[in-house]
Amino acid sequence: NRWLTCKSLPPGALERIADTVADRVRVPWFAGAVKVNVSLVPPLVLLPVFLHVAALHFLLGLVVLTSLPVVVLWYYYLTHRRKERTLFFLSLGLFSLGYMYYVFLQEVVPRGRVGYSQVVVLTCGLILMLAALSRAKKDPGYLPIPASDVKSLHQGLSNKGVRGSSNGLHGISMSGGAGSRAVNGEAKGYSRMSAEEPEGVKKDWCAKCQLVRPARAGHCRLCGRCVRRLDHHCVWINSCVGEQNHQAFILALSFFMLTSVYGITLTLHTICRDRTPFVALFYCPGAYSDYSSALSFTCVWYCAIVTAGMGYILLIQLLNISYNVTEREARLALRDNTGRRLLGGLVIDTGQYNRGFLCNWGHFLSLGSSPPQRSAEDIV
């Protein structure tokens, strides 16, 4: 009624409405209605609609494909401060993969220019990427929680999860992007107290988890846990990237890049004949001759935009590994003005763990190979 009469809404009204709508969105099931996370719905509905609209005309495609990244970035910065987990980006990524593969099989393969072996290679690349992604979704290297704090942590996470899912798509922390000065919980309210191991390795005290964490570990406010060798919290996998899953994360990005570039090349060779893929991406006169070609060409450009973004993230990750610095350490170094900008600012070298290119990569490839040592506090 207030909306219709243009009256101001009381504080918290929109959140209560969103909570009610999210609680009512359920799917009938044998054991009872299952609640659906609202953040899963928008990609499933909006992505096919936008791509089909973009395929109607060249100008519509230009507007839609330009606005999509802008809308995603706008949504990210709009909800960034809430620092709550969301399934929106994971849902968008997985559904984009599935829908692009469906369009490829339905619109590109029947044209007869893609061989059976090429479809098998593309499918294998997609399966390998999903397998690496599944591994990256597992334990990133959480530090054990003291038994006295387990119950309170579960209560806090459950309350936080209810707020995040009911409000739709709230706060996120984009991987590889420059965020606020708070770095995965390293902000005001977190007391940091150095301790010394018998070996002389510096440790920190986490006031939230109530434990002494080893060097390079960090606290993630989104997950509510401390992670060994924390790199960052990635919204695309809805999980932290740490000591135990960093290799799988890099592997998933690499498989995605190879599979995406291969699929784009096959599609452009089919739609725009007698042209190289790079030229065909910008000049393909017959792309809008029929709706099937237009839809395929629109999906190619969508894939190219996503691949460019993921390629930038992979590049930053590879450079950080080469200098043995994590994304969290780089942000802290920028905040404290203690690091050196290299390669035009693409990498921040803290100089603390850099042992040379080969040694740095050897250290990265050996992550998670040996079980972490337990501290004296864990034993007690």
Side-chain angles (χ1 to χ4, degrees):
N1 183 51
R2 287 178 178 268
W3 277 340
L4 295 176
T5 56
C6 299
K7 295 181 180 179
S8 61
L9 294 174
L14 293 178
E15 293 184 358
R16 290 193 297 271
I17 293 173
D19 291 341
T20 303
V21 172
D23 184 66
R24 299 296 187 270
V25 179
R26 297 175 181 267
V27 176
W29 199 247
F30 299 102
V34 178
K35 188 175 180 179
V36 178
N37 194 314
V38 179
S39 60
L40 296 173
V41 178
L44 304 181
V45 177
L46 297 180
L47 181 63
V49 172
F50 284 160
L51 291 179
H52 279 275
V53 170
L56 294 176
H57 193 271
F58 169 76
L59 293 179
L60 286 175
L62 184 63
V63 171
V64 170
L65 293 176
T66 303
S67 61
L68 274 178
V70 175
V71 170
V72 172
L73 289 176
W74 169 80
Y75 172 76
Y76 162 70
Y77 285 111
L78 181 67
T79 58
H80 176 73
R81 292 184 179 180
R82 289 183 174 270
K83 297 293 181 182
E84 294 179 358
R85 301 181 69 175
T86 175
L87 293 175
F88 172 79
F89 288 93
L90 178 61
S91 173
L92 176 63
L94 292 178
F95 183 69
S96 296
L97 287 173
Y99 191 72
M100 295 304 104
Y101 186 68
Y102 168 79
V103 171
F104 180 79
L105 294 181
Q106 287 291 112
E107 307 295 343
V108 179
V109 174
R111 294 174 178 266
R113 292 181 62 87
V114 178
Y116 176 78
S117 60
Q118 293 172 319
V119 176
V120 171
V121 171
L122 185 68
T123 304
C124 290
L126 185 62
I127 293 174
L128 291 174
M129 191 220 67
L130 292 176
L133 181 63
S134 176
R135 175 63 187 87
K137 283 284 295 174
K138 294 183 178 180
D139 181 13
Y142 292 122
L143 290 173
I145 305 175
S148 59
D149 297 335
V150 172
K151 184 176 180 180
S152 60
L153 177 66
H154 283 316
Q155 292 175 351
L157 289 178
S158 62
N159 294 334
K160 182 179 178 181
V162 170
R163 289 198 310 272
S165 61
S166 61
N167 287 339
L169 313 171
H170 289 323
I172 55 178
S173 175
M174 181 168 290
S175 64
S180 62
R181 291 174 66 89
V183 182
N184 286 329
E186 303 293 342
K188 297 178 181 179
Y190 284 77
S191 62
R192 292 172 60 83
M193 182 171 64
S194 64
E196 295 293 331
E197 277 189 318
E199 298 82 359
V201 178
K202 186 178 179 180
K203 287 190 170 187
D204 292 323
W205 170 259
C206 179
K208 288 292 183 180
C209 297
Q210 293 295 306
L211 52 81
V212 178
R213 59 193 183 196
R216 310 193 76 177
H219 185 90
C220 177
R221 287 195 297 175
L222 278 76
C223 297
R225 298 283 298 275
C226 282
V227 182
R228 293 184 182 274
R229 197 184 176 277
L230 175 63
D231 190 84
H232 66 282
H233 183 95
C234 180
V235 296
W236 295 106
I237 65 173
N238 193 35
S239 176
C240 286
V241 176
E243 183 178 87
Q244 299 295 323
N245 68 341
H246 201 170
Q247 295 173 352
F249 178 73
I250 296 297
L251 199 61
L253 281 177
S254 302
F255 278 128
F256 170 80
M257 291 295 298
L258 294 174
T259 305
S260 180
V261 171
Y262 187 63
I264 290 174
T265 303
L266 292 178
T267 305
L268 289 177
H269 274 310
T270 302
I271 299 174
C272 307
R273 303 183 181 183
D274 303 327
R275 285 184 175 85
T276 61
F278 183 78
V279 174
L281 191 62
F282 296 95
Y283 182 70
C284 185
Y288 286 86
S289 58
D290 58 273
Y291 188 76
S292 176
S293 299
L295 179 61
S296 302
F297 189 72
T298 302
C299 291
V300 162
W301 259 105
Y302 175 74
C303 290
I305 294 172
V306 175
T307 302
M310 294 301 170
Y312 176 78
I313 294 175
L314 179 60
L315 175 63
I316 297 299
Q317 286 289 313
L318 295 179
L319 290 175
N320 285 344
I321 294 170
S322 300
Y323 286 91
N324 199 4
V325 60
T326 64
E327 187 67 26
R328 170 179 170 271
E329 292 167 349
R331 295 182 187 181
L332 287 173
L334 285 177
R335 186 190 69 182
D336 301 332
N337 197 23
T338 58
R340 293 188 305 143
R341 291 178 178 270
L342 302 175
L343 303 177
L346 288 178
V347 64
I348 307 299
D349 182 19
T350 61
Q352 188 175 4
Y353 301 102
N354 189 0
R355 299 296 181 268
F357 181 82
L358 295 179
C359 291
N360 293 339
W361 272 96
H363 171 74
F364 173 76
L365 295 176
S366 63
L367 289 178
S369 58
S370 58
Q373 297 181 354
R374 298 178 64 188
S375 65
E377 183 179 280
D378 295 336
I379 297 176
V380 173

